[in-house]
Amino acid sequence: MATKKKIAIMTSGGDSPGMNGVVRACVRMAIHMGCDAYCVYEGYEGLVQGGDLIRKMEWHDVRGWLSEGGTLIGTARCMAFYERPGRLAAAKNMILNGIDAIIICGGDGSLTGADRFRAEWPSLLDELVSKGEFKPEQIESFKHLNIVGLVGSIDNDLSGTDATIGCYSALARICYAVDLIEATASSHSRAFVIEVMGRHCGWLALMAGVATGADFVFIPEKPSEHNWKEEMYRIVQEHRKLGKRKTIVIIAEGALDRQGKKITPTMVKDLLADKNGLGLDTRITTLGHVQRGGTAVAYDRMLATLQGVEAVKAVLEATPETKTCFIAITENKIIRKPLMEAVQDTKQVSSAIERQDFDEAMGLRDAEFSEQYKSFMMTTAVQMDEEIMLPEKERMKIGFINVGAPAGGMNAAVRAGVAYCLSRGHEPIGIHNGFAGFARHHGDTPLGAVRPFDWLEVDGWASKGGSEIGTNRELPGESGMETIANLIEVYGFDALFLIGGFEAFHAVSQLRKAREQYPSLCIPMTLLPATISNNVPGTEYSLGSDTCLNELVDYCDKIKQSASATRRRVFVIETQGGRSGYVATLSGLGVGASAVYTPEEGLSLDMLAADVRHLKEVFTHDKGQSRAGRLILINEKTSKVYNAKLIADILREESHGRFESREGIPGHMQQGGVPSPMDRCRAVRLAIRCIQQLERYGKNVHNKVKADPMSASVIGIKGASVVFTPINKLEEEETDWPNRRPKAAYWLGMKEIVDILGGRPKYDVPEADLTGFKAKDVKRGIAAAA
C-alpha cells in the first residue's frame, strides 16, 4: 500500500441522499490511512475549473455531514469534460494539486466518464508535457490514475448491485406520500394515479407497489402481457367488488406498453374515470423532486459509510493493472466489481426495452427484482389466476402465528403469506396472540383465537406497524406442549408459519424436540425472523431492524441538533437490542457516534476513562466554531452497573465544567410506527418463500417430516444469499443460548469503523468475566485469575 497518497472525492450527476455520508467516510478514512483527502466541488466542472473548487479537507470539515441531504460539495453538468480539452484541463489541475486517485459517487454516466478519463490518462500526460505545461520528471509519479466508483442514484438502475446510495431514501419518500394519499383516497372512495421517477428502471415504482399494497404498477421492464387496459380494469374491478374504497396505481415515468409506446398518468386516469367503465373519481399526483430530497435513511447512511471506507481501501490496493471498479452490495455483502461490465449490463437493459425484448430486460435485472414483481402480482391479483391453483388434494391448512415483541413488517409478511395461500388454494388460519392465545383462548366465544383471515381486512395491512393478529413472548413449553400438540391435531394444521424474534426461534426449537413425544407436531414449520434486535441465529437480517434503525437515527439527529446548538454537550443514548449490539452499532454508524458500547465487547472503568480523556481533549481544542455536539450510544444490557444516566453523570463530573452531558432513552419508540419500505418489501419476498418451503412437503407427511431436518427451518439472508437453515443445526452450532444471540455476527467488524470515523482513540478491551468453578476458586484464593 502507498504510505502517502492524495485522494480526491467528488459527486457527480443527479444528487441522492447519502452522498454526504460517502464524502465524510472517504475523507476520514483517507486521513486515518495516512493520506491527504481533497474534495472536488461542483463535480467534473470543479475538476476542469480547478482553483478553489479543489480543496484539501481536514477531519473536522465533514462533521455533521451524515444528516445532511443532497451533496454539500455540489454537482453540476459539465459539457467541457465531454471534450478532450476539458479532460486535459482536469488532468492538469489534478497534477497541480498532487492528486493521482479519484473516488467518484454518481450514476452510470458519471462513472463511464471517469473510466474514459482513466483510459486517456497516459496520453493526456504526454500532451501536457509536449505543450510545456510540465517537465517529464514532474509527471513521473503520476503515471497511473486510480479511479473507484460508488453508485449514487435514487433509481437503483445500475446492474450488479442490489442497492444504490439514495434509492431507499427515495423509496421512503414515495411510500410516505402514498400512505398519506391512501387515507384521503379511502375517505372519498377515490382512485389515485401516482407518478414516480424511473425513466429506464422501474425499481422505485415496483418496490413502492409492493410496500404499499398498490392495486397496479407500471414499469418499463415488464409491461402487461396482453392489453394493459383490460388487465388493470379486471384487477381494479375485482378489488372494488371485494369492498375496497381506494384504488392506488403507481406508474414509473418511463412506463411503456408491449408495443413500446409510452403510457402516461393521464391515459391511466382516463381509463379509471371512464363513465362507461369503472367510473372512479380519479386524481393524478406527480411526486417529482421530493423523491430526491431530504436526509438519508439509516440504510443509505450505512451503505454510504461502508462503501466509502471500502473505496479508500480499493484505491490504496489498486495496481496499474487493476480494472476500474465500483463498490457494490449483494444482500449484506460489500464487494468490488468491474465498473464497465456493470455499465454495459445496465445499457443492455435500456437496449432490450427499446427492442421490446422485455424478458431479456427482466433477466438483466437482479434476481430480487423479478422475484418482487412476481410477489406483487401474486398479492394484488389474489385468487384471480386459476392456472396457479393447486388440486384439492394438495391444498394445505397453514397456521400463522407471531411470537415475541412486535416488529415492523410483521403485518406485511402475514398479508403476503395469506395472499399466496389464497392464490394457491391453501387455507391460511390466524392464531391470535401467540401460543398463549392459542392455548387458552382458542375456543372463546363469540371470537376465538383461531380463525380464518378476511382478505379485505388483511389487504390493508401492508403499511401497518405492530401485529394485527397479536403477539406474545410465551413459549409452547410454557403454554403446555401437550395442549399445543393436541390443538394442532384438533384444528388439523398441515404446517406452521411463525414470525418473530428469539422467542419464536426458541419456540420452533421446542416444537421440533417434542416431535418424538407428540406425532401431531410432525408437520413442516418455518420461521421468518422479525425483531428489532436482529439477534436470531440463521440470518443477518430480521424484519423490523431497519424500521428500528430509522427511528433511532431520526431521534439521534434531533438530539445531536440540540447538542450542536449548545455546542459543548454530550448526549448518552440508550438503545434496545437485548444482548445484541446490532442496533447500537448500526445506529452509531448512521449518526457518527463518538463511542458505542455493546454487550459483545463489554464496558470497563478504563474504557470510560479513555473516552472521558478523549472528549476533554476534543472540547479543549474546539473554540465553539464547529458543530461539536457529540453522541455516545450504549446498548441497554452492555453492563449491569454502567447505564446511560450513570455514564452521563460521570462525564459531567469529570468534565470539570468544560462541557455538559445528558442522557436520552428512546425506549419502545424504537419499535417504530409505520414500517420502513425495506422491512415491508423484504417481508413480502421472504414470507412467500416461507410458504413455498412449507408447500414442498404437502399434507400427511409425518414420516417424511420426522426424517428431514429441513422440515423445521429458519429463512435468512446470509452473505449474498437467501437460505433456509435447519433449526437443529442452528441450535447446536450457531446459537449462544445464554446471551440469546448468534455465536457469530457479520456486523461486529462495523464497530471498528464507527470508532475510526468517530475519531475515537485506541482503548483496552474489557476483561471477560470469570464464571463457574474458576470464579469460585479465584475468590477463595486457591487459583490464579489469569
Side-chain angles (χ1 to χ4, degrees):
M1 278 197 185
T3 52
K4 188 75 170 176
K5 204 172 185 73
K6 295 187 176 183
I7 303 172
I9 300 104
M10 61 186 280
T11 55
S12 180
D15 67 319
S16 63
M19 281 185 164
N20 291 320
V22 168
V23 177
R24 172 186 176 270
C26 290
V27 166
R28 292 197 167 179
M29 191 63 185
I31 293 170
H32 173 75
M33 300 293 280
C35 304
D36 289 336
Y38 288 77
C39 277
V40 179
Y41 282 69
E42 311 305 337
Y44 285 115
E45 187 67 34
L47 214 53
V48 173
Q49 297 293 335
D52 287 343
L53 295 179
I54 301 177
R55 304 177 203 168
K56 188 179 177 188
M57 303 294 281
E58 302 298 338
W59 189 273
H60 60 268
D61 289 333
V62 291
R63 181 175 296 150
W65 282 32
L66 269 170
S67 58
E68 297 285 346
T71 167
L72 292 170
I73 62 173
T75 178
R77 288 192 179 278
C78 179
M79 300 312 293
F81 196 79
Y82 284 97
E83 306 296 331
R84 186 173 172 88
R87 295 193 290 276
L88 192 69
K92 178 182 176 182
N93 287 324
M94 286 179 62
I95 294 169
L96 287 172
N97 285 281
I99 297 165
D100 63 349
I102 302 177
I103 295 171
I104 178 166
C105 183
D108 61 341
S110 302
L111 299 180
T112 302
D115 188 69
R116 184 176 179 184
F117 188 44
R118 185 191 181 193
E120 281 187 356
W121 184 254
S123 68
L124 291 171
L125 294 190
D126 290 343
E127 190 172 337
L128 288 170
V129 171
S130 67
K131 287 186 174 181
E133 299 281 359
F134 297 102
K135 294 176 181 176
E137 58 269 22
Q138 288 178 295
I139 65 161
E140 189 58 39
S141 59
F142 296 94
K143 286 286 187 185
H144 304 289
L145 173 65
N146 288 327
I147 289 179
V148 173
L150 295 127
V151 195
S153 165
I154 67 164
D155 291 339
N156 196 17
D157 55 354
L158 192 82
S159 296
T161 184
D162 286 355
T164 56
I165 295 161
C167 69
Y168 275 102
S169 299
L171 182 60
R173 308 280 179 276
I174 294 168
C175 291
Y176 178 69
V178 174
D179 290 344
L180 297 178
I181 288 167
E182 277 190 338
T184 187
S186 186
S187 299
H188 296 272
S189 193
R190 280 182 178 146
F192 274 84
V193 182
I194 300 165
E195 186 182 40
V196 302
M197 287 184 172
R199 277 196 304 277
H200 304 293
C201 181
W203 188 86
L204 284 173
L206 175 58
M207 295 303 166
V210 171
T212 61
D215 296 86
F216 207 79
V217 296
F218 290 92
I219 59 173
E221 298 91 338
K222 187 78 173 174
S224 295
E225 291 291 340
H226 307 292
N227 186 320
W228 68 266
K229 293 183 178 181
E230 289 176 7
E231 189 174 353
M232 187 181 76
Y233 184 97
R234 186 170 66 95
I235 287 174
V236 172
Q237 185 182 52
E238 189 64 31
H239 289 178
R240 288 285 170 163
K241 278 182 187 174
L242 284 170
K244 283 187 81 169
R245 287 180 54 82
K246 65 192 178 194
T247 299
I248 301 292
V249 176
I250 299 175
I251 180 168
E253 59 185 332
L256 304 168
D257 65 14
R258 275 271 154 190
Q259 285 68 50
K261 294 176 184 171
K262 185 171 175 58
I263 301 172
T264 66
T266 304
M267 292 163 67
V268 178
K269 180 201 167 188
D270 290 345
L271 179 65
L272 293 170
D274 185 358
K275 290 284 191 287
N276 298 317
L278 294 165
L280 299 175
D281 182 3
T282 309
R283 302 285 191 274
I284 294 173
T285 300
T286 301
L287 296 179
H289 281 75
V290 297
Q291 296 161 78
R292 197 179 262 171
T295 188
V297 297
Y299 181 84
D300 279 328
R301 297 187 193 197
M302 178 273 289
L303 191 62
T305 302
L306 295 181
Q307 290 193 341
V309 166
E310 184 66 18
V312 172
K313 291 179 181 176
V315 160
L316 296 178
E317 291 169 10
T319 66
E321 291 75 36
T322 306
K323 284 185 178 180
T324 303
C325 74
F326 80 104
I327 313 300
I329 185 165
T330 305
E331 297 299 355
N332 275 336
K333 203 172 180 65
I334 303 284
I335 47 179
R336 302 171 196 174
K337 288 189 174 181
L339 172 63
M340 292 317 294
E341 286 179 23
V343 170
Q344 291 305 319
D345 287 346
T346 304
K347 287 179 177 174
Q348 283 181 38
V349 177
S350 303
S351 175
I353 292 169
E354 285 174 18
R355 296 195 314 273
Q356 295 163 40
D357 189 344
F358 300 109
D359 290 337
E360 185 187 346
M362 284 295 281
L364 287 165
R365 293 284 181 222
D366 60 51
E368 184 185 4
F369 189 90
S370 55
E371 199 175 336
Q372 288 286 24
Y373 181 80
K374 289 173 189 169
S375 299
F376 174 76
M377 294 309 296
M378 181 75 72
T379 52
T380 196
V382 174
Q383 292 180 304
M384 292 175 66
D385 186 354
E386 291 290 334
E387 291 181 7
I388 64 170
M389 280 277 188
L390 290 169
E392 190 77 41
K393 64 174 192 275
E394 293 178 27
R395 297 177 186 179
M396 301 168 70
K397 190 174 187 180
I398 301 175
F400 285 60
I401 184 166
N402 291 345
V403 184
M410 276 184 162
N411 291 320
V414 170
R415 175 184 175 273
V418 169
Y420 183 85
C421 284
L422 294 176
S423 292
R424 297 282 281 168
H426 302 305
E427 185 183 0
I429 303 291
I431 301 171
H432 292 247
N433 304 317
F435 285 104
F438 192 24
R440 296 192 287 281
H441 301 285
H442 63 96
D444 286 4
T445 54
L447 211 58
V450 181
R451 52 186 188 267
F453 289 101
D454 172 3
W455 174 244
L456 181 60
E457 181 189 1
V458 173
D459 191 30
W461 290 1
S463 57
K464 284 195 173 182
S467 169
E468 291 295 303
I469 64 169
T471 185
N472 194 287
R473 291 180 183 272
E474 189 167 294
L475 298 172
E478 296 167 329
S479 303
M481 190 60 75
E482 187 174 349
T483 302
I484 298 298
N486 289 339
L487 288 171
I488 285 173
E489 189 169 4
V490 167
Y491 285 98
F493 287 121
D494 297 307
L496 278 183
F497 176 35
L498 296 92
I499 305 168
F502 198 89
E503 288 89 357
F505 173 78
H506 198 171
V508 177
S509 173
Q510 287 188 351
L511 293 168
R512 183 195 70 79
K513 289 175 180 175
R515 281 174 171 173
E516 287 291 336
Q517 196 172 352
Y518 304 105
S520 63
L521 297 179
C522 292
I523 57 173
M525 51 189 79
T526 192
L527 167 65
L528 172 48
T531 166
I532 68 168
S533 305
N534 197 22
N535 62 338
V536 178
T539 187
E540 296 172 2
Y541 162 84
S542 302
L543 296 182
S545 58
D546 186 62
T547 300
C548 171
L549 290 174
N550 281 340
E551 292 288 345
L552 255 179
V553 163
D554 192 43
Y555 176 88
C556 288
D557 278 352
K558 292 180 174 70
I559 292 289
K560 199 165 187 179
Q561 189 176 63
S562 166
S564 299
T566 49
R567 300 302 185 203
R568 299 174 169 275
R569 182 170 285 179
V570 181
F571 272 92
V572 184
I573 310 296
E574 181 183 282
T575 73
Q576 291 186 337
R579 293 194 174 279
S580 166
Y582 174 84
V583 169
T585 302
L586 270 287
S587 50
L589 204 66
V591 298
S594 296
V596 171
Y597 304 136
T598 64
E600 287 85 354
E601 186 176 64
L603 181 56
S604 68
L605 201 55
D606 287 343
M607 210 162 147
L608 277 174
D611 287 331
V612 169
R613 284 194 298 272
H614 171 56
L615 288 168
K616 283 166 80 169
E617 186 179 344
V618 164
F619 286 113
T620 298
H621 290 100
D622 178 64
K623 307 300 180 189
Q625 301 300 310
S626 63
R627 292 196 269 179
R630 302 278 168 162
L631 290 182
I632 289 175
L633 301 182
I634 177 170
N635 168 279
E636 60 188 346
K637 294 192 175 176
T638 296
S639 168
K640 293 174 184 174
V641 175
Y642 303 113
N643 56 31
K645 185 179 185 312
L646 180 56
I647 293 170
D649 288 343
I650 290 170
L651 288 172
R652 193 181 303 113
E653 178 69 17
E654 292 298 320
S655 72
H656 301 297
R658 289 178 177 81
F659 56 89
E660 296 179 36
S661 64
R662 299 280 189 278
E663 77 275 5
I665 303 176
H668 280 75
M669 70 165 281
Q670 292 167 74
Q671 288 178 353
V674 176
S676 74
M678 175 182 280
D679 279 331
R680 298 193 225 174
C681 290
R682 285 188 169 177
V684 172
R685 178 189 178 202
L686 298 177
I688 289 175
R689 284 270 196 111
C690 285
I691 304 298
Q692 288 170 339
Q693 168 76 0
L694 298 174
E695 196 178 50
R696 288 192 187 100
Y697 288 89
K699 301 164 68 170
N700 304 317
V701 285
H702 286 60
N703 290 334
K704 181 183 176 184
V705 162
K706 208 170 180 181
D708 185 359
M710 286 298 291
S711 64
S713 61
V714 177
I715 192 172
I717 292 173
K718 283 187 170 183
S721 307
V722 175
V723 296
F724 285 91
T725 311
I727 199 92
N728 65 334
K729 182 176 186 291
L730 296 174
E731 292 166 4
E732 295 164 10
E733 299 173 16
E734 297 183 28
T735 306
D736 177 356
W737 285 100
N739 289 308
R740 294 163 51 85
R741 66 191 184 209
K743 285 181 179 176
Y746 81 100
W747 52 267
L748 287 172
M750 296 183 194
K751 174 82 167 45
E752 184 184 9
I753 295 173
V754 176
D755 289 343
I756 288 170
L757 300 186
R760 189 181 183 190
K762 291 284 184 186
Y763 54 86
D764 293 328
V765 176
E767 291 179 39
D769 291 340
L770 295 176
T771 56
F773 288 115
K774 177 78 171 174
K776 289 179 180 178
D777 289 348
V778 170
K779 283 177 188 174
R780 292 170 184 150
I782 57 176

